[in-house]
Amino acid sequence: MKYSFNLVGVSPVLHFFNHQQQSLVKPQHQGIEYLGTHTCTLDAFLSSIEPVPVKWGWNLDQVVDTVIEFWMNNAESINYWKSRLNDAGHDSLLVARVADMNSLSEELESLLGKNL
């Protein structure tokens, strides 16, 4: 299975917490998780993904490799989001999305109104 990891934005902690709580009540697409961390570091995101593979039955080594590959190949994007996080202050999180590629494709198609 292939995985995707992307930094998607900065969010106030309470807004992100509310989003996560709503996703428990109204399930999101399976195989897609949003993660938040107070620091823009590889170690912070690696720590935050540890419970995700267990939840979805993913291969932890492949997910970790995907995050590391993103980190090695996207320095400009990482620096941009690190700056935005610093600008936002201490009550904010950097939000990332980790997903299996099939689920991500299904989510994007549903957003575009295409039914499978």
Side-chain angles (χ1 to χ4, degrees), residues 1 10 26 61 76 78 80 90 105 107 115-116:
M1 186 176 304
V10 175
K26 179 182 154 192
D61 291 336
E76 189 174 313
I78 293 164
Y80 172 82
H90 297 295
S105 176
E107 179 184 53
N115 294 327
L116 296 177

Side-chain angles (χ1 to χ4, degrees), residues 97-109:
R97 178 185 60 219
V98 63
D100 72 65
M101 293 302 288
N102 292 333
S103 295
L104 185 58
S105 176
E106 289 173 12
E107 179 184 53
L108 294 175
E109 287 177 4

Side-chain angles (χ1 to χ4, degrees), residues 32-80:
I32 299 173
E33 286 289 329
Y34 291 90
L35 312 167
T37 180
H38 288 285
T39 57
C40 182
T41 65
L42 174 58
D43 288 342
F45 279 108
L46 289 177
S47 294
S48 69
I49 64 166
E50 286 180 9
V52 174
V54 172
K55 179 178 178 181
W56 298 116
W58 290 350
N59 181 311
L60 177 59
D61 291 336
Q62 288 179 346
V63 175
V64 167
D65 288 346
T66 300
V67 175
I68 292 170
E69 182 179 333
F70 175 89
W71 221 260
M72 292 176 60
N73 295 319
N74 294 283
E76 189 174 313
S77 175
I78 293 164
N79 288 331
Y80 172 82

Side-chain angles (χ1 to χ4, degrees), residues 82-102:
K82 185 174 186 174
S83 294
R84 299 296 68 78
L85 180 62
N86 288 337
D87 293 345
H90 297 295
D91 293 332
S92 296
L93 299 171
L94 180 58
V95 179
R97 178 185 60 219
V98 63
D100 72 65
M101 293 302 288
N102 292 333

Side-chain angles (χ1 to χ4, degrees), residues 11-27:
S11 172
V13 172
L14 291 177
H15 186 267
F16 182 75
F17 177 77
N18 185 47
H19 175 269
Q20 295 295 77
Q21 291 301 309
Q22 287 178 359
S23 71
L24 292 174
V25 174
K26 179 182 154 192

